[in-house]
């Protein structure tokens, strides 16, 4: 009836307010072990993504430097496993099984079902050059809001993180948000093609 439907839609709206995560863990949690089941005649490609975030905290694992990927027990590197980070959308790992050298029947991955993919967080010390000095205003910044010469900003593979980069009195850059960090891995989506 109509009152039941109204109640359902009211409660559904309240129950979906939280952002759900598929997995969150750190080094002490062990490997995230995925058993991927591909359909017949698929492209044998998996996309594994973290939840979208505008700015990552220093405690979130850097997929470029702190994520170790294994496919069927073998370490997977580019071009078979590649990572991209899109500002505001988070990081994505693309596993192309057709490019994994040691995998038999890699062109027909559905024959091997399930395919074991392990993700391990290996925390790394954030390098000092993750905070770099700005020598010129940021491209596209307005005249009044452009950072001053000598200001510091997160850079490179750490550009999406809030590391607390600040300029010291001597003009060098330092990080303030990196003490006692636990590189945390979050995986929200796994899509198979």
């Amino acid at each position: 009836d109509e009152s039941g439907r109204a109640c359902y839609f009211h409660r559904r709206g309240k129950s979906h307010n939280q952002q759900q995560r598929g997995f969150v863990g750190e080094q002490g949690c062990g490997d995230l072990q995925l058993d991927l089941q591909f359909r017949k005649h698929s492209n044998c490609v998996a996309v594994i993504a973290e939840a979208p975030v505008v700015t990552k905290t220093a405690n979130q694992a850097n997929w470029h430097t702190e994520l170790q990927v294994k496919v069927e027990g073998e370490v997977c590197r580019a071009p078979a496993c590649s990572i991209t980070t899109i500002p505001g959308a988070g990081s994505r790992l693309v596993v192309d099984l057709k490019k994994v050298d040691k995998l038999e029947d890699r062109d027909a991955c559905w024959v091997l079902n399930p395919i074991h993919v392990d993700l391990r967080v290996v925390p790394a010390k954030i390098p000092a050059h993750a905070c770099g000095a700005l020598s010129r205003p940021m491209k596209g910044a307005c005249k009044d809001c452009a950072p001053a010469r000598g200001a510091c900003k997160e850079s490179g593979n750490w550009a999406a993180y809030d590391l607390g980069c600040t300029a010291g009195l001597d003009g060098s850059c330092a990080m303030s948000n990196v003490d006692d960090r636990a590189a945390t891995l979050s995986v929200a989506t796994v899509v198979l093609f």
Side-chain angles (χ1 to χ4, degrees):
D1 73 337
E2 283 301 310
S3 64
R5 290 183 66 128
C7 179
Y8 166 76
F9 285 117
H10 174 75
R11 290 185 185 267
R12 184 182 75 170
K14 302 293 184 206
S15 70
H16 288 80
N17 284 341
Q18 293 183 2
Q19 179 182 10
Q20 300 296 319
R21 294 184 185 261
F23 169 84
V24 177
E26 55 192 45
Q27 184 181 24
C29 297
D31 295 358
L32 169 59
Q33 299 174 333
L34 302 173
D35 287 338
L36 306 180
Q37 296 277 347
F38 287 91
R39 290 185 177 185
K40 192 171 186 178
H41 303 297
S42 70
N43 289 324
C44 301
V45 174
V47 177
I48 301 166
E50 67 182 339
V53 291
V54 176
T55 304
K56 297 181 182 187
T57 67
N59 278 328
Q60 290 178 272
N62 185 322
W63 287 30
H64 294 275
T65 59
E66 298 178 310
L67 186 64
Q68 182 184 73
V69 181
K70 289 185 177 181
V71 175
E72 293 295 324
E74 297 289 329
V75 174
C76 187
R77 294 185 177 85
C81 292
S82 59
I83 296 170
T84 57
T85 299
I86 301 167
S91 296
R92 285 160 177 59
L93 165 66
V94 176
V95 180
D96 187 344
L97 296 175
K98 291 181 179 182
K99 296 178 182 176
V100 176
D101 290 332
K102 296 185 179 185
L103 194 61
E104 294 179 24
D105 295 321
R106 61 183 180 232
D107 291 332
C109 59
W110 55 89
V111 174
L112 304 170
N113 278 339
I115 302 291
H116 305 289
V117 176
D118 298 332
L119 304 178
R120 173 180 288 178
V121 177
V122 182
K125 182 172 173 55
I126 299 175
H129 66 270
C131 283
L134 294 173
S135 57
R136 61 184 186 284
M138 292 170 47
K139 193 174 192 176
C142 64
K143 180 180 171 189
D144 296 332
C145 61
R149 181 179 296 276
C152 295
K153 182 79 178 141
E154 292 79 357
S155 62
N157 287 338
W158 296 94
Y161 289 80
D162 176 14
L163 303 178
C165 292
T166 56
L169 296 174
D170 63 354
S172 65
C173 294
M175 298 173 271
S176 61
N177 294 344
V178 296
D179 294 332
D180 298 324
R181 70 182 287 270
T184 303
L185 174 67
S186 67
V187 173
T189 310
V190 178
V191 180
L192 305 178
F193 295 98

